[in-house]
Amino acid sequence: MRLYFIHGGKRVWLSAWLQTSGWPVILIPLAITYLHRRATDPATKLFYMKTPLFMAAAIVGVLTGLDDYLYAYGVARLPVSTSSLIIATQLAFTAGFAFLLVKEKFTYYSINAVVLLTAGAGVLAMHTTSDKPAGESSREYMMGFVMTLGAAALYGFILPLVELTYKKSRQEISYTLVMEIQMIMCLLATVFCTVGMLINKDFQAIPREARDFELGDAKYYHVVVWSAVIWQCFFLGAIGVIFCASSLLSGILIALLLPATEILAVVFFQEKFQAEKGVALGLSVWGFASYFYGEMKENKKKKLAAPPPTNNPVGNA
């Protein structure tokens, strides 16, 4: 996303649109699962989703579209190493909303992780203009900071909302149904961003922007297409983890991208890595380690508390 803006891209709505416009990619695994089901059951349904679940997915999709715009605006204004540190605070919002919406149970280690990640963002906020890109006003930089924080908060709400949708659904949730939910969410988010693009006349500007792109028009379209595909993989993984585990774990895994993002931003974009970013990164990694250590301890306790398997000769026979 940042590569697009660094080399001449200026369309925030287009960048937001790319985050979900690859939704047709989901049709491929859906088609495969349908053909697999049809091989054993010729009367199987093409889609499992019923109207109430469709409406819930549509609402989450519109919220996702808004979140896409907030995030794209922040990426357009901030260095990657800064925006990724701010986005990591979504874990604190995810934890709070998970507690309110799905009654997520907290441990000392999960609370410690949330506090450390939040503290890391706080350290970064105290030096907000030290890495301001050249030619950008302080107002634009601060708007980028605020919008990125808003994106983190909104996504921290969306993840538990998806988990709540699973829990309240009157349908049995399978991974096929998870993919259908993902498709509807991204379709509605794309519609939301398409309206913004039409108002901003972004579609007409794409050919001109491609010609002026510093890396050439071919690479412009490579960036656009692969952004859309990679984002679909991300979203499918995020809501898939919610299905398999919880929204809190999904938030943890998203925040775990932070160290890799920080390193790649310095290597490929030669971004500055000041002391406050180092402190924020250290606190974040400490938070991740705390959470996963706590999860390992909890799993070990559950295994020890589980009753041993019964030796039933009749049953074994």
Side-chain angles (χ1 to χ4, degrees), residues 91 95 104-114 116-117 241 245-253 255-256 283-299:
L91 178 57
E104 179 73 41
K105 293 181 179 179
F106 287 98
T107 65
Y108 164 78
Y109 299 100
S110 59
I111 293 172
N112 189 46
V114 170
L116 288 169
L117 282 162
V241 170
S246 69
S247 55
L248 183 58
L249 180 58
S250 184
I252 290 284
L253 290 175
L256 193 56
L283 289 170
S284 299
V285 173
W286 183 8
F288 303 144
S290 174
Y291 179 84
F292 284 110
Y293 178 72
E295 285 296 297
M296 288 171 60
K297 288 194 70 174
E298 286 297 313
N299 288 334

Side-chain angles (χ1 to χ4, degrees), residues 15 27 52 58 169 289:
S15 185
L27 291 171
S169 173

Side-chain angles (χ1 to χ4, degrees), residues 2-221:
R2 183 62 181 166
L3 182 70
Y4 164 78
F5 290 109
I6 285 176
H7 292 289
K10 293 181 175 63
R11 301 286 164 172
V12 175
W13 276 113
L14 171 61
S15 185
W17 185 80
L18 290 174
Q19 294 177 52
T20 53
S21 60
W23 64 266
V25 171
I26 302 296
L27 291 171
I28 298 172
L30 281 175
I32 293 170
T33 57
Y34 172 71
L35 292 173
H36 179 72
R37 296 197 311 272
R38 190 174 173 79
T40 55
D41 180 14
T44 187
K45 292 181 178 180
L46 182 60
F47 289 104
Y48 283 139
M49 186 181 295
K50 295 179 180 177
T51 303
L53 196 55
F54 175 88
M55 295 302 295
I59 292 169
V60 176
V62 173
L63 291 175
T64 301
L66 175 59
D67 187 69
D68 291 344
Y69 177 77
L70 295 175
Y71 184 46
Y73 189 98
V75 172
R77 300 289 184 269
L78 304 176
V80 175
S81 53
T82 302
S83 62
S84 60
L85 282 165
I86 300 169
I87 283 294
T89 63
Q90 60 84 24
L91 178 57
F93 295 107
T94 301
F97 286 119
F99 176 76
L100 294 172
L101 296 179
V102 295
K103 311 303 179 188
E104 179 73 41
K105 293 181 179 179
F106 287 98
T107 65
Y108 164 78
Y109 299 100
S110 59
I111 293 172
N112 189 46
V114 170
V115 170
L116 288 169
L117 282 162
T118 307
V123 170
L124 191 66
M126 291 188 293
H127 299 81
T128 51
T129 58
S130 59
D131 64 344
K132 182 165 61 69
E136 188 172 291
S137 68
S138 296
R139 182 181 178 278
E140 288 176 327
Y141 186 94
M142 284 304 301
M143 279 295 295
F145 191 99
V146 171
M147 296 286 258
T148 307
L149 190 60
L154 183 54
Y155 202 64
F157 173 69
I158 288 172
L159 291 177
L161 189 60
V162 171
E163 184 175 0
L164 182 66
T165 301
Y166 292 165
K167 289 181 180 293
K168 296 295 184 180
S169 173
R170 295 178 181 177
Q171 294 182 245
E172 183 181 351
I173 302 294
S174 63
Y175 200 71
T176 298
L177 193 52
V178 167
M179 289 191 288
E180 290 180 14
I181 293 170
Q182 168 67 18
M183 184 179 71
I184 298 303
M185 283 171 52
C186 287
L187 174 60
L188 267 293
T190 302
V191 170
F192 179 90
C193 292
T194 300
V195 173
M197 288 185 69
L198 289 171
I199 294 172
N200 204 41
K201 298 182 178 179
D202 281 2
F203 287 108
Q204 297 94 314
I206 289 174
R208 182 176 67 253
E209 194 170 70
R211 287 194 301 270
D212 297 337
F213 197 60
E214 293 175 5
L215 300 179
D217 57 351
K219 288 188 178 178
Y220 176 89
Y221 290 112

